[in-house]
């Protein structure tokens, strides 16, 4: 899988992809991440990448030519085929685990980081094939959103995590939050690890984990229960906790 990131601030990415899971995925060839400086494709004397909006309105708008030139320069003829070119913008569809799984199926993803007050509309209309936001708040640019997407997608690639089943157990993987985790010591400052985890009864441990996951999701994100895959036993457990949903 390959990511091409187009940005006016390539230095923001220094170090972010050089640690832990992403670094290992890069080293093993599972993922390639290339950062492209849009300014290098601004061919006027001052390498201009933004301009004032037509008809006023304040703020600056990213010019179309350097963005098109940068993306076309990197993709070349590949751009004629079906490509995934994502514009990062607070107006995009919301990034979720389901979107991460969808993107993890792609062989190549382009990420255009919007900055300033906006990007010339022709980039949206004629270059981007998708628009994504990472949540309902405003960032000063799409760079951090691009890092979020690269991280969430890369860890889903088969082989990126030590445990191949780990992504199935994550919070949000099954539409639920994960329950609590504990490691040694069994008692810390008088706070004990739940006995069931020390019991060695695999069946009871699995049931406890499921129940904790349901309990936590009900307490913190009851909205998730509307779309989670729930068994009859799950529903009964939740109803005992006062859940009134179907
Ligand atoms: Cl992708 N960009 C910006 N500028 N702000 C955001 C965002 C993206 N996602 C959430 N807020």
């Amino acid at each position: 899988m390959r990511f091409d990131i187009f940005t006016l601030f390539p230095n923001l990415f220094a170090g972010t992809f050089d640690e832990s899971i992403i670094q290992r995925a890069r080293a093993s060839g599972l993922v390639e991440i290339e950062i492209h400086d849009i300014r290098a494709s601004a061919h006027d004397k001052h390498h201009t990448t933004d301009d004032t909006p037509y008809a006023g309105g304040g703020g600056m708008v990213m010019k179309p030519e350097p963005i098109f030139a940068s993306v076309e320069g990197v993709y070349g003829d590949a751009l004629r085929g079906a490509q995934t070119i994502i514009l990062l913008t607070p107006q995009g569809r919301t990034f979720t685990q389901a979107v991460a799984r969808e993107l993890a199926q792609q062989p190549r993803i382009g990420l255009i980081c919007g900055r300033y007050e906006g990007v010339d509309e022709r980039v949206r209309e004629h270059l981007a094939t998708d628009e994504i936001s990472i949540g309902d708040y405003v960032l000063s640019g799409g760079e951090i959103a691009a890092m979020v997407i690269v991280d969430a997608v890369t860890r889903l690639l088969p082989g990126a995590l030590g445990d191949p089943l780990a992504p199935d157990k994550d919070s949000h993987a099954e539409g639920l939050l994960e329950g609590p985790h504990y490691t040694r010591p069994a008692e810390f400052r008088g706070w004990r690890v739940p006995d069931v985890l020390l019991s060695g009864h695999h069946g009871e441990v699995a049931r406890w984990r499921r129940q904790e996951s349901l309990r936590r999701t009900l307490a913190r994100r009851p909205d998730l229960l509307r779309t989670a895959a729930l068994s009859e036993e799950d529903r009964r457990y939740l109803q005992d906790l006062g859940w009134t949903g179907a």
Side-chain angles (χ1 to χ4, degrees):
M1 156 126 210
R2 173 171 168 145
F3 289 100
D4 289 285
I5 301 176
F6 300 90
T7 174
L8 287 174
F9 300 95
N11 293 339
L12 283 178
F13 294 89
T16 12
F17 302 134
D18 298 336
E19 300 288 344
S20 185
I21 289 164
I22 299 194
Q23 169 47 31
R24 263 185 282 127
R26 293 178 86 181
S28 70
L30 206 54
V31 70
E32 248 183 292
I33 304 168
E34 298 293 337
I35 313 292
H36 309 285
D37 186 352
I38 293 170
R39 192 173 303 279
S41 297
H43 298 306
D44 65 305
K45 196 170 82 185
H46 298 106
H47 302 286
T48 313
T49 56
D50 62 331
D51 203 343
T52 53
Y54 269 116
M60 297 295 270
V61 175
M62 283 175 75
K63 292 168 62 59
E65 309 98 304
I67 301 176
F68 273 81
S70 185
V71 174
E72 286 168 352
V74 167
Y75 275 78
D77 288 344
L79 210 47
R80 295 174 198 278
Q83 293 290 343
T84 302
I85 312 279
I86 299 169
L87 178 65
L88 296 162
T89 161
Q91 299 184 2
R93 62 185 176 126
T94 307
F95 189 64
T96 61
Q97 193 65 23
V99 175
R101 279 193 289 264
E102 173 195 322
L103 297 180
Q105 306 301 311
Q106 304 292 326
R108 186 173 188 185
I109 293 175
L111 297 166
I112 301 172
C113 302
R115 270 266 149 176
Y116 305 121
E117 283 69 24
V119 176
D120 188 281
E121 187 68 12
R122 288 160 291 189
V123 172
R124 295 173 192 279
E125 287 187 339
H126 305 294
L127 186 61
T129 61
D130 198 357
E131 296 176 39
I132 290 180
S133 159
I134 61 164
D136 291 341
Y137 40 80
V138 179
L139 302 169
S140 28
E143 284 77 8
I144 291 172
M147 295 176 208
V148 166
I149 290 172
V150 169
D151 187 289
V153 171
T154 298
R155 60 188 296 292
L156 291 178
L157 299 177
L161 303 182
D163 173 1
L165 295 180
D168 305 331
K169 299 179 200 153
D170 288 335
S171 283
H172 295 292
E174 289 186 88
L176 296 173
L177 304 182
E178 276 189 285
H181 300 284
Y182 293 93
T183 188
R184 279 174 282 276
E187 182 172 333
F188 170 67
R189 298 187 178 178
W191 302 309
R192 289 193 48 77
V193 170
D195 284 335
V196 60
L197 296 179
L198 311 177
S199 70
H201 292 115
H202 297 299
E204 279 181 37
V205 169
R207 197 159 62 101
W208 180 84
R209 288 208 168 119
R210 183 72 184 176
Q211 291 180 346
E212 289 300 304
S213 167
L214 292 165
R215 203 148 67 90
R216 185 162 284 195
T217 306
L218 177 62
R220 301 184 182 193
R221 293 292 307 277
D223 58 299
L224 296 178
L225 295 173
R226 276 188 275 113
T227 47
L230 300 175
S231 68
E232 267 313 306
E233 190 182 340
D234 291 340
R235 287 170 198 283
R236 273 196 302 275
Y237 182 73
L238 286 164
Q239 279 154 8
D240 287 346
L241 294 178
W243 184 54
T244 50

